[in-house]
């Protein structure tokens, strides 16, 4: 341990830590722009400079390791001036228009400028021209607002290992973006929105659907229904000043009613349905693999089966692992299952003309905006999902409707697609889909409850990049006797870089599994590209814990026991993987060319 | 939704591409092969066609955006074909000592391009040459096969003008010919 003095406060900190780490520990805040948690510091923006006793020049706090007995002053005149100059220069190039900017409430540049009491332009610089990139369904990029901090580059290349973004050209002409500063649709981008999640300014954001949703709500002809993804309830509160990890499910339902949706449903319902379909699919694949035939099953039999609820992962596989497409579960994501059923099953029950129905989803995700536009997502005969709002967009809609969110009472979702089990809630967390599937599959096969302790599968929970578990099946029901003694092996990865690593090990034969869960975003959907900013690991942990609380607080914790699920099979779908399911709930994938 | 990126790909010389592949294969384990591969490609093709950049991205398994980032960072990479006239400035010892650098600076200024680049009208490309064996008459500038001796920076504009005129004349002749043909 080193002893470091920061602004007169002593802290003990491990060797290898940076001045920034020490400052945070000492409760001293240093502004940063290019810095990203867990990533090698770039030291590029120089906004974090501090005075180190004995050093001639100012040091970048994010990139300078502490030494024993180091004495640091973050607040010398020279450090303040230097920081100011950095921000003055950035502002002189910045094509800013805060009053119209999506980030006006949480812009890091604006906040630092404010804190440094920058009140007038110091330099007259040439402004970076504002070129809008609206080429993709999920994201909007505005080059004029980009301050070239490269956080998006780090996330896209290192965390997600996609490499869609990179600095192009040099000097003043530098543009951070796709090859040759072309639009995002000209490179392999999976629309995960992790770039938008880390951008400190308004240079990358989701393509807004807010206006479209208001228009639908204002149209007396339209019947507008809404579904909310599990991860939204653990993060929406942050838009209204709640601590990360505050569950606001009931208030969210009230707010959606006040906004004027005709029915408030739950994507959780179709998450439970996904477990029925995907769990059955897994058992069929196992049967085909272990016994050579699975009567009545016509789907692919490749193992391991990969989950298919995360649209960024789907596109990642379509681009980079086309040979693995037969391994992807044919199940649509819960969002798309919901859309297809809303305009068929629910429309029939409610006596609503599906043509006049508008399906809105609220998602923690930007890739869901892309998913809803996929050509094949029209199983109902209409566009299954019409609009996709991010958690952030819903926050803005609630505010603009003049709703005092904090004082709302709790309300409940509507039937027949509003009830869900705790297994559906945990779809929001990395490892949650796996746990939910095991809760049901285990019970279907053995007739007994999953024996892992409070129904959790600890080894696949949490923030480790790649997680695995195995369970030996003993004494199965007669139908599943071929599984007797089989060691069921599962793995979970989140973040596409971790996913690439896991797939590499699977392909090389180093690891072998029956079932693999992939989520595109670090931490799972709770860390999605559409969640309130900034999602750090601390925030991820709090949201994850909240989701497990939601699950544990429910009587109903297994998908197959959800009475609305039994009802939809009885009245409409008949059986998992049945004729109607096949048409409405399952899908196909396409190989895509990377370059 | 799926945009086929290279549907309009230019026809690329397969022999040169094979040569590039050989270059890459011979250095399989070399770290930092990107820049050498791009340089070799530019030598082979005269510039870096889009399809060749994509090919390098695929072969080296480096994202297209990163490869493009490197191509656009260094001025000696060009993504446009060579100009109709290749200007080579000798920077051999004799030419260097007798003001070759200044001549080069004047050309860069006059043409508005860097070494390795091509003017937007695709008339001129600018490169540095090795000794042309005319050291007694340094500094030497070659435009295609024409040798210009004892070039002075102040005369560079004149020198370029003569080629521009020539080009215009050819162009006009073309138009006239077309007119006649119609
Ligand atoms: S990015 Fe920040 S500083 Fe720039 S216009 Fe938006 S809110 Fe203002
Ligand atoms: S959305 Fe994801 S893949 Fe696309 S540029 Fe952003 S980080 Fe990269
Ligand atoms: S787009 Fe945002 S994250 Fe990326 S370099 Fe620009 S300001 Fe930074
Ligand atoms: S945050 Fe330290 S240099 Fe950018």
């Amino acid at each position: 341990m080193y002893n470091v003095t920061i602004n007169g406060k002593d802290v003990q900190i491990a060797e290898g830590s940076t001045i920034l780490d020490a400052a945070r520990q000492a409760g001293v805040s240093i502004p940063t722009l290019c810095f990203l948690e867990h990533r090698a510091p770039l030291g590029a923006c120089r906004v974090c400079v501090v005075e180190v006793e004995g050093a001639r020049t100012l040091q970048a706090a994010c990139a300078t390791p502490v030494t024993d007995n180091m004495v640091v002053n973050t607040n010398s005149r020279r450090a303040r001036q230097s920081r100011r100059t950095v921000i003055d220069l950035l502002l002189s190039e910045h094509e800013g228009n805060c009053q119209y900017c999506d980030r006006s409430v949480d812009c890091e540049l604006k906040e630092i400028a404010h804190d440094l009491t920058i009140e007038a332009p110091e330099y007259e610089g040439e402004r970076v021209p504002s070129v809008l990139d609206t080429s993709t369904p999920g994201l909007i990029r505005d080059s004029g607002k980009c301050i070239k901090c490269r956080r998006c580059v780090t996330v896209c290349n290192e965390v997600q290992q996609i490499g869609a973004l990179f600095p192009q050209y040099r000097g003043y002409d530098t543009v951070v973006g796709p090859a040759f500063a072309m639009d995002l649709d000209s490179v392999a981008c999976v629309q995960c929105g992790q770039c938008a999640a880390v951008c400190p300014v308004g240079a990358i954001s989701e393509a807004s659907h807010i206006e479209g949703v208001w228009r639908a709500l204002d149209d007396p002809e339209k019947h507008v229904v809404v579904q909310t993804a599990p991860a939204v309830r653990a993060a929406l509160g942050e838009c209204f000043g709640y601590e990360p990890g505050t569950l606001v499910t009931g208030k969210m339902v009230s707010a959606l009613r006040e906004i004027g949706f005709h029915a408030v449903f739950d994507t959780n319902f179709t998450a439970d349905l996904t477990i029925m379909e995907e769990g059955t699919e897994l058992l069929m694949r196992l049967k085909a693999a272990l016994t050579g035939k699975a009567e009545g099953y016509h789907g692919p039999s490749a193992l391991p089966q990969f989950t298919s609820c995360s649209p960024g992962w789907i596109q990642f596989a379509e681009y980079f692992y086309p040979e693995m497409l037969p391994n992807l579960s044919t199940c649509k994501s819960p969002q798309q299952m919901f859309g297809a059923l809303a305009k068929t099953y629910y429309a029939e029950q409610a006596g609503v003309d599906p043509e006049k129905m508008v399906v809105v989803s609220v998602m923690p995700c930007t890739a869901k905006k892309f998913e809803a536009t996929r050509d094949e997502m029209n199983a109902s005969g209409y566009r299954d999902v019409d609009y996709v709002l991010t958690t952030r967009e819903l926050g803005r809609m609630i505010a603009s409707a003049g709703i005092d969110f904090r004082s709302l009472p709790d309300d409940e979702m509507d039937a027949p697609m509003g009830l869900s089990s705790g297994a559906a809630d945990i779809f929001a967390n990395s490892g949650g889909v796996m746990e939910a599937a095991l809760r049901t599959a285990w019970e279907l096969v053995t007739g007994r409850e999953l024996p892992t302790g409070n129904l959790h599968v600890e080894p696949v929970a949490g923030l480790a990049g790649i997680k695995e578990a195995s369970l030996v099946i003993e004494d199965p029901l007669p139908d599943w006797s071929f599984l007797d003694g089989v060691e069921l092996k599962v793995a979970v990865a989140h973040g596409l870089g971790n996913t690439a690593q896991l797939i590499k090990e699977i392909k090389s034969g180093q690891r072998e599994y029956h079932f693999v869960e992939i989520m595109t975003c670090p931490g799972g959907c709770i860390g999605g590209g559409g969640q309130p900013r900034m999602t750090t690991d601390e925030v991820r942990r709090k949201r994850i814990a909240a989701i497990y609380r939601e699950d544990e607080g429910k009587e109903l914790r297994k998908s197959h026991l959800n009475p609305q699920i039994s009802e939809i099979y009885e009245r409409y779908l008949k059986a998992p993987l049945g004729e109607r399911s096949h048409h409405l709930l399952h899908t196909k994938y396409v190989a895509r060319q990377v370059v | 939704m799926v945009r086929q990126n290279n549907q309009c790909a230019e026809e690329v010389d397969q022999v040169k591409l094979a040569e590039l592949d050989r270059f890459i294969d011979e250095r399989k384990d070399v770290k930092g092969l990107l820049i050498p591969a791009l340089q070799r490609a530019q030598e082979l093709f005269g510039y870096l066609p889009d399809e060749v950049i994509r090919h390098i991205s695929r072969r080296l398994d480096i994202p297209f955006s990163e490869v493009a980032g490197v191509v656009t960072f260094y001025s000696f990479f060009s993504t446009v074909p060579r100009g109709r006239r290749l200007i080579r400035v000798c920077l051999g010892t004799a030419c260097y000592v007798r003001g070759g650098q200044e001549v080069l600076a004047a050309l860069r200024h006059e043409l508005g391009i860097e070494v390795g680049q091509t003017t937007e009208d695709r008339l001129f490309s600018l490169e540095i040459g090795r000794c042309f064996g005319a050291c007694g008459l340094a500094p030497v500038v070659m435009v295609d096969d024409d040798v210009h001796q004892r070039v002075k920076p102040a005369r560079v504009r004149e020198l370029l003008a003569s080629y521009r005129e020539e080009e215009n004349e050819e162009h006009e002749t073309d138009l006239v010919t077309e007119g006649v043909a119609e």
Side-chain angles (χ1 to χ4, degrees), chain B residues 34-50:
Chain B
L34 178 57
I35 290 183
L38 288 167
Q39 277 169 327
R40 183 76 191 114
Q42 180 149 307
E43 270 168 36
L44 285 165
F45 293 91
Y47 72 110
L48 293 170
D50 182 72

Side-chain angles (χ1 to χ4, degrees), chain A residues 139 152 155-156 160 162 164-165 184 188-196:
Chain A
L139 296 165
C152 57
V155 160
C156 189
Q160 300 298 60
I162 305 271
L165 306 172
L184 200 50
C189 156
V190 304
Q191 298 280 284
C192 66
Q194 285 300 309
C195 50

Side-chain angles (χ1 to χ4, degrees), chain A residues 104-377:
Chain A
S104 53
V105 288
D106 63 353
C107 172
E108 294 179 41
L109 175 64
K110 196 174 148 210
E111 191 183 323
I112 296 172
H114 175 267
D115 290 355
L116 293 173
T117 333
I118 295 178
E119 292 172 322
E122 186 74 21
Y123 308 102
E124 273 310 322
E126 196 181 327
R127 312 250 154 207
V128 173
S130 174
V131 180
L132 281 191
D133 173 1
T134 57
S135 65
T136 60
L139 296 165
I140 291 198
R141 300 168 52 249
D142 182 348
S143 61
K145 287 182 185 151
C146 174
I147 56 170
K148 294 158 199 172
C149 70
R150 305 187 182 193
R151 281 190 199 169
C152 57
V153 174
T154 305
V155 160
C156 189
N157 287 268
E158 293 177 23
V159 180
Q160 300 298 60
Q161 285 182 24
I162 305 271
L165 306 172
F166 206 81
Q168 309 290 320
Y169 306 99
R170 70 190 296 171
Y172 173 81
D173 295 323
T174 304
V175 176
V176 176
F180 301 107
M182 293 187 296
D183 280 348
L184 200 50
D185 71 342
S186 54
V187 293
C189 156
V190 304
Q191 298 280 284
C192 66
Q194 285 300 309
C195 50
V198 297
C199 180
V201 294
I204 314 184
S205 280
E206 62 270 52
S208 174
H209 287 187
I210 293 178
E211 189 42 40
V213 174
W214 280 126
R215 240 184 291 120
L217 288 165
D218 291 343
D219 183 343
E221 292 276 288
K222 293 281 179 348
H223 182 85
V224 191
V225 305
V226 65
Q227 56 163 327
T228 57
V232 178
R233 62 208 69 189
L236 179 65
E238 291 164 41
C239 301
F240 303 97
Y242 286 100
E243 263 296 292
T246 309
L247 286 165
V248 294
T249 321
K251 287 185 193 300
M252 174 178 75
V253 176
S254 295
L256 291 167
R257 277 198 213 293
E258 280 204 29
I259 285 177
F261 289 101
H262 300 104
V264 179
F265 292 132
D266 209 341
T267 314
N268 277 16
F269 169 77
T270 36
D272 276 335
L273 194 61
T274 300
I275 290 302
M276 300 305 293
E277 295 288 330
E278 193 165 337
T280 310
E281 181 185 354
L282 175 65
L283 293 174
M284 287 300 129
R285 286 191 192 225
L286 286 170
K287 190 169 187 178
L290 296 175
T291 70
K293 63 172 193 300
E295 268 150 49
Y297 176 68
H298 308 291
S301 52
L303 286 173
Q305 174 175 309
F306 283 78
T307 57
S308 57
C309 34
S310 183
W313 147 240
I314 296 296
Q315 235 189 326
F316 186 64
E318 290 178 328
Y319 273 124
F320 299 99
Y321 302 99
E323 72 284 4
M324 303 290 280
L325 294 180
N327 292 69
L328 264 54
S329 163
T330 59
C331 287
K332 287 182 184 170
S333 72
Q335 158 172 284
Q336 294 305 137
M337 286 194 183
F338 180 93
L341 288 171
K343 292 192 179 180
T344 53
Y345 170 66
Y346 167 67
E348 224 173 276
Q349 287 211 352
V352 175
D353 177 358
E355 187 160 358
K356 301 214 164 87
M357 189 184 291
V358 176
V359 174
V360 176
S361 24
V362 185
M363 295 283 142
C365 182
T366 53
K368 290 277 170 194
K369 289 180 187 264
F370 159 76
E371 183 184 46
T373 66
R374 289 181 68 118
D375 290 344
E376 65 277 16
M377 295 300 175

Side-chain angles (χ1 to χ4, degrees), chain A residues 273 277 298-299 330-333 336-345 348 375-384 569 572-588:
Chain A
L273 194 61
E277 295 288 330
H298 308 291
T330 59
C331 287
K332 287 182 184 170
S333 72
Q336 294 305 137
M337 286 194 183
F338 180 93
L341 288 171
K343 292 192 179 180
T344 53
Y345 170 66
E348 224 173 276
D375 290 344
E376 65 277 16
M377 295 300 175
N378 58 358
S380 62
Y382 305 89
R383 189 98 309 251
D384 293 332
Y569 278 115
Y572 196 70
L573 295 171
K574 306 307 173 201
L577 305 185
E579 182 65 38
R580 267 211 170 121
S581 291
H582 177 73
H583 173 60
L584 291 172
L585 310 181
H586 291 258
T587 190
K588 288 207 257 313

Side-chain angles (χ1 to χ4, degrees), chain B residues 87-181:
Chain B
I87 304 177
R88 284 181 297 169
V89 182
C90 178
L91 287 184
T93 316
C95 288
Y96 190 90
V97 171
R98 297 228 206 133
Q101 282 284 16
E102 288 73 30
V103 173
L104 179 62
L107 278 165
R108 278 166 46 217
H109 179 76
E110 216 31 68
L111 294 167
I113 57 172
E114 294 299 316
V115 172
Q117 292 182 335
T118 298
T119 54
E120 231 160 68
D121 59 7
R122 288 201 186 169
L123 181 50
F124 297 111
S125 292
L126 184 60
E127 276 178 14
I128 289 170
R130 304 222 179 88
C131 184
F132 304 132
C135 305
L137 306 162
V140 174
V141 171
M142 292 209 38
V143 180
D144 295 341
D145 292 331
D146 308 344
V147 184
H148 298 269
Q149 302 155 346
R150 293 200 174 124
V151 180
K152 299 202 167 52
R155 299 277 308 278
V156 154
R157 178 176 301 185
E158 223 172 283
L159 188 151
L160 293 174
S162 65
Y163 287 98
R164 286 200 173 110
E165 254 163 50
E166 222 171 274
E167 177 80 5
N168 282 341
E169 274 162 27
E170 270 169 36
H171 193 58
E172 272 162 31
T173 326
D174 283 352
L175 289 181
V176 172
T177 327
E178 267 171 40
V180 171

Side-chain angles (χ1 to χ4, degrees), chain A residues 32-35 43-46 48 60 62:
Chain A
T32 56
L33 280 173
C34 62
F35 173 77
C45 75
R46 310 285 305 170
C48 65
C62 69

